[in-house]
Amino acid sequence: MCTQWLEKMLLIHSPPPVPSFHTTEHPRLNQLLEKHKRKVLSKISTNIPLQVTANLVSDEDYWKRCCLECWEVCDTSHYGGSWKRMFFERLLKNIIEFFVPDTTDVKVVLELVPLCKNYVKTLDIAQLLPPVKQSPETLDDSSSDGGSDSDGNGPSVDHFDFSILLSKLIHLEELNVTYGVKDCGMNFEWNIFQFTYRDCFSLARAIHSCKTLKVVRLPRNRIDDEKLRVLVKYMLNHPSLKELDLSHNMIMDNGAKVVAKLLHKTNLEKVNLCNNRISAHGAKALSYKVRRFSTLKSINFRLNQIGDDGGEVLGRALMKSSVEDINLSSNELTEPVAVVFSELLMKNRNLKSIDLSCNNLGPEAGKQLQEGMTMNKTLMEFDLRLTDIGAENEYAINQMLHNNRERVRNAICRPLKVIKANEVPSDHYLVTD
């Protein structure tokens, strides 16, 4: 990022008087030919303070110039094709990621909010810096005297307070936050990756205050059951929450029970619990809610320890559920789970994707799954890599999956007849072979 250019754009003091060019005050701009209008707008300097241009200039070419002056790589496909949205989302992201608590003035953030609140839909924070109160020499001296980093006199380890920001972003739909420091190198310390209780409370209040949030992703934050309990307490009955990502944390069975309660109190459609510490007890708690509540479409249990007991319970819960995507990769599953999933394949017509990879299922399990697939016409993906089910079984299953995909593709591209909605046996318009 061009730091000097941003300093010009984000003037803390009042900007110098600039002639107004608002189209409502000067309607002649809209009366110009398009090529002449573009020429006029191309003359607007990118050095004009944001306080002037943010809510007055809507021309995408102007914001494209601003983006290219800040960042070498710019891809608007991640920002709905809008250069203006890209500029303000990346600007706010940069300010938060380099915000140092107790050092950076919070006005830097608060003064930007009125300028960007109408354009920020996604906030993707890949790092959060801890406060720095003491120099390394001071810390070395205190440690040599027997001091502790956890003393009350030591530096705070709390990070940026999201509760001052999220409620003001009136169009925010997606929040991705990871508490940690990128490229810390030889300055590595565990406390800079610590998600403290005060961080937890401030983030929970912030999520609760932002009623437009649809997606919350909190991967790699070392969230345990107690912190998850706090977060979920403030997420209950959230009006718009659809997706929750808690992957790569330290959630155990009690935390899984808390997530099960959240399924009951929200309209979540996608839950990611990949790489946590959930066993069969946590899987059983979640399976009850999966079976009873119909909004959930996708659940990811990859890299947990639910075992055969948890796998069987989840398989039975999916028999009549609305879930379309289930991932149980690397969960210490064996042949008994395959028996349940064989029955699931015969009865369920909602599942589109199943992942049982990296489990020791065995050849007999492969035969069971192959038998179940012969009765299934809706499954599109079935990952069975590194399961030792045998090459013949795996090939036969892949052929059936191919036939399912071809059937749907033919129904979409070359329909033979129009089928009335009340005559369709499932949610797919399938063409008979």
Side-chain angles (χ1 to χ4, degrees):
M1 174 179 287
C2 182
T3 306
Q4 293 180 346
W5 183 85
L6 281 177
E7 288 177 353
K8 292 180 182 179
M9 297 288 286
L10 285 172
L11 293 177
I12 300 300
H13 57 274
S14 300
V18 177
S20 174
F21 46 82
H22 200 297
T23 56
T24 58
E25 297 179 12
H26 297 280
R28 291 176 182 173
L29 179 64
N30 290 329
Q31 298 173 5
L32 297 175
L33 295 175
E34 186 64 28
K35 61 179 182 179
H36 296 151
K37 185 192 296 187
R38 289 189 176 278
K39 187 173 182 180
V40 171
L41 292 172
S42 66
K43 299 298 182 181
I44 301 175
S45 172
T46 56
N47 290 325
I48 297 177
L50 284 178
Q51 290 90 335
V52 176
T53 60
N55 295 314
L56 294 181
V57 180
S58 59
D59 180 58
E60 283 290 292
D61 288 337
Y62 172 79
W63 295 106
K64 179 179 179 178
R65 287 190 284 131
C66 292
C67 287
L68 294 176
E69 287 192 27
C70 288
W71 306 284
E72 293 182 358
V73 179
C74 297
D75 183 2
T76 58
S77 64
H78 301 293
Y79 304 90
S82 171
W83 288 97
K84 189 171 187 178
R85 177 184 164 190
M86 172 193 279
F87 176 82
F88 282 107
E89 285 188 5
R90 293 183 71 169
L91 176 61
L92 184 59
K93 167 187 170 74
N94 184 269
I95 289 175
I96 293 175
E97 287 186 343
F98 291 94
F99 184 95
V100 181
D102 306 327
T103 302
T104 307
D105 192 344
V106 73
K107 290 183 179 179
V108 174
V109 178
L110 296 180
E111 291 184 356
L112 180 62
V113 170
L115 310 179
C116 70
K117 65 179 182 179
N118 293 321
Y119 315 108
V120 174
K121 293 185 177 181
T122 299
L123 196 55
D124 186 3
I125 307 301
Q127 77 166 9
L128 288 168
L129 300 179
V132 180
K133 287 189 175 180
Q134 299 180 7
S135 64
E137 293 80 5
T138 305
L139 291 176
D140 290 340
D141 293 340
S142 63
S143 60
S144 63
D145 293 336
S148 172
D149 290 339
S150 60
D151 292 342
N153 297 328
S156 168
V157 292
D158 298 319
H159 301 81
F160 176 78
D161 184 0
F162 284 95
S163 63
I164 67 173
L165 173 65
L166 294 197
S167 62
K168 299 177 177 64
L169 300 178
I170 57 177
H171 297 296
L172 185 66
E173 296 180 356
E174 182 175 333
L175 176 66
N176 310 324
V177 181
T178 296
Y179 286 77
V181 179
K182 298 189 297 183
D183 304 321
C184 58
M186 297 300 293
N187 296 318
F188 171 83
E189 292 181 11
W190 275 116
N191 67 341
I192 65 177
F193 294 89
Q194 184 177 357
F195 180 50
T196 68
Y197 277 100
R198 279 193 289 184
D199 289 332
C200 184
F201 275 103
S202 67
L203 180 61
R205 289 193 296 268
I207 293 173
H208 177 76
S209 67
C210 187
K211 304 302 182 183
T212 58
L213 268 180
K214 295 180 180 179
V215 180
V216 175
R217 296 193 179 100
L218 304 173
R220 301 182 301 279
N221 285 309
R222 305 178 74 191
I223 298 173
D224 56 22
D225 290 354
E226 291 302 316
K227 293 187 179 74
L228 181 59
R229 191 182 303 276
V230 174
L231 291 169
V232 168
K233 177 183 177 181
Y234 285 88
M235 292 182 191
L236 294 176
N237 299 311
H238 195 286
S240 59
L241 190 61
K242 298 295 182 183
E243 180 179 342
L244 179 62
D245 184 349
L246 296 169
S247 59
H248 309 291
N249 284 294
M250 301 190 299
I251 300 168
M252 302 178 72
D253 292 337
N254 288 334
K257 295 176 183 178
V258 172
V259 175
K261 182 178 181 181
L262 184 64
L263 291 178
H264 175 47
K265 296 290 185 179
T266 59
N267 294 318
L268 277 173
E269 296 179 357
K270 186 175 182 179
V271 175
N272 188 348
L273 295 170
C274 168
N275 193 21
N276 280 282
R277 302 174 183 179
I278 301 172
S279 70
H281 295 291
K284 290 177 182 178
L286 280 163
S287 66
Y288 178 73
K289 302 299 181 182
V290 168
R291 183 172 64 251
R292 291 196 58 187
F293 301 101
S294 61
T295 60
L296 192 64
K297 301 294 183 184
S298 174
I299 185 165
N300 189 341
F301 266 106
R302 185 168 64 93
L303 290 169
N304 282 279
Q305 304 100 34
I306 66 173
D308 287 341
D309 290 343
E312 290 180 45
V313 170
L314 279 171
R316 294 191 184 96
L318 293 170
M319 296 289 183
K320 296 183 179 180
S321 77
S322 62
V323 173
E324 299 178 355
D325 180 7
I326 178 73
N327 191 331
L328 298 179
S329 175
S330 303
N331 267 283
E332 303 172 3
L333 308 180
T334 59
E335 184 180 338
V337 174
V339 176
V340 176
F341 269 76
S342 177
E343 182 182 358
L344 172 65
L345 291 169
M346 296 178 186
K347 295 181 178 180
N348 186 287
R349 293 296 178 265
N350 291 321
L351 276 170
K352 308 297 184 295
S353 175
I354 300 175
D355 190 342
L356 296 178
S357 62
C358 302
N359 289 295
N360 189 21
L361 301 180
E364 290 300 319
K367 294 178 181 179
Q368 294 283 345
L369 294 173
Q370 181 182 341
E371 181 181 351
M373 278 299 303
T374 59
M375 304 293 292
N376 187 290
K377 305 299 181 184
T378 57
L379 193 68
M380 300 291 112
E381 298 178 5
F382 199 175
D383 194 340
L384 291 166
R385 293 173 296 171
L386 300 176
T387 55
D388 296 326
I389 64 170
E392 293 183 3
N393 294 325
E394 189 170 357
Y395 176 79
I397 291 172
N398 285 332
Q399 284 298 111
M400 295 178 207
L401 292 171
H402 175 74
N403 292 338
N404 289 350
R405 290 191 288 266
E406 284 297 311
R407 185 180 296 106
V408 173
R409 186 179 295 112
N410 290 336
I412 295 174
C413 299
R414 296 186 298 275
L416 298 181
K417 61 182 179 178
V418 177
I419 305 176
K420 295 181 180 180
N422 57 2
E423 296 176 354
V424 179
S426 68
D427 58 347
H428 292 282
Y429 290 83
L430 303 179
V431 177
T432 57
D433 294 331

